[in-house]
Amino acid sequence: MPGARRAGVIVLTLALVLLASQLRVIGVQGRMVLGWAWQDGQVAFTNSVTGRPVRIQFSLRRPFSEFRMITDPDTEGYYTGGEYRINDQLKHEYTRQLDYCSEVGMQLNIGAKEWTISQKCMTIRALWPLG
């Protein structure tokens, strides 16, 4: 039985390590939020110049990555000067911190969790895993 018990402990330890590697701890406006590597997030706001809606989607895999902006062509042109397709650039980006500002507030989604941010600016930080 000691061999079976040891094998069980090893399997449990490996399962916990695997689970911890998929856990994401995110700092949102001074709060800690738990998420998983396979979840996605999104920030939605209204561009104060064009008056049109903007959605920026991202994944929690690396730690914030695989960005995609959804908006109208005029608003995309506002951000790029009409020089390039913004999603061609965004899809290669990854970062540990996101900073967004909006004159009219924002909506943040991480997985199924949703927040309305009424402050003009918001910072989202990847706290775990480190590195």
Side-chain angles (χ1 to χ4, degrees):
M1 266 323 201
R5 177 175 275 160
R6 183 176 308 151
V9 168
I10 290 171
V11 167
L12 180 60
T13 301
L14 290 173
L16 289 173
V17 168
L18 178 62
L19 185 64
S21 72
Q22 299 303 302
L23 180 66
R24 300 296 184 257
V25 180
I26 302 158
V28 177
Q29 300 296 96
R31 294 177 290 216
M32 288 195 336
V33 176
L34 296 179
W36 298 102
W38 58 81
Q39 287 183 304
D40 294 322
Q42 172 179 281
V43 174
F45 56 92
T46 299
N47 179 287
S48 60
V49 173
T50 66
R52 304 267 176 74
V54 176
R55 282 187 305 156
I56 301 175
Q57 299 172 331
F58 54 90
S59 88
L60 302 181
R61 292 179 227 346
R62 191 183 169 211
F64 300 120
S65 59
E66 302 172 32
F67 291 92
R68 182 168 180 245
M69 180 185 281
I70 300 165
T71 192
D72 65 282
D74 290 337
T75 302
E76 180 175 344
Y78 167 78
Y79 290 113
T80 66
E83 297 293 318
Y84 58 90
R85 302 277 309 164
I86 198 160
N87 286 321
D88 292 343
Q89 298 293 316
L90 289 177
K91 68 183 175 185
H92 301 293
E93 298 292 321
Y94 67 95
T95 185
R96 296 193 60 77
Q97 180 170 311
L98 302 173
D99 295 297
Y100 293 106
C101 292
S102 172
E103 293 294 319
V104 295
M106 296 160 272
Q107 188 75 33
L108 170 65
N109 296 74
I110 295 177
K113 298 175 187 105
E114 185 176 297
W115 299 268
T116 298
I117 310 295
S118 58
Q119 296 91 340
K120 290 189 182 217
C121 294
M122 154 178 75
T123 297
I124 308 166
R125 288 186 181 93
L127 303 174
W128 174 265
L130 303 174

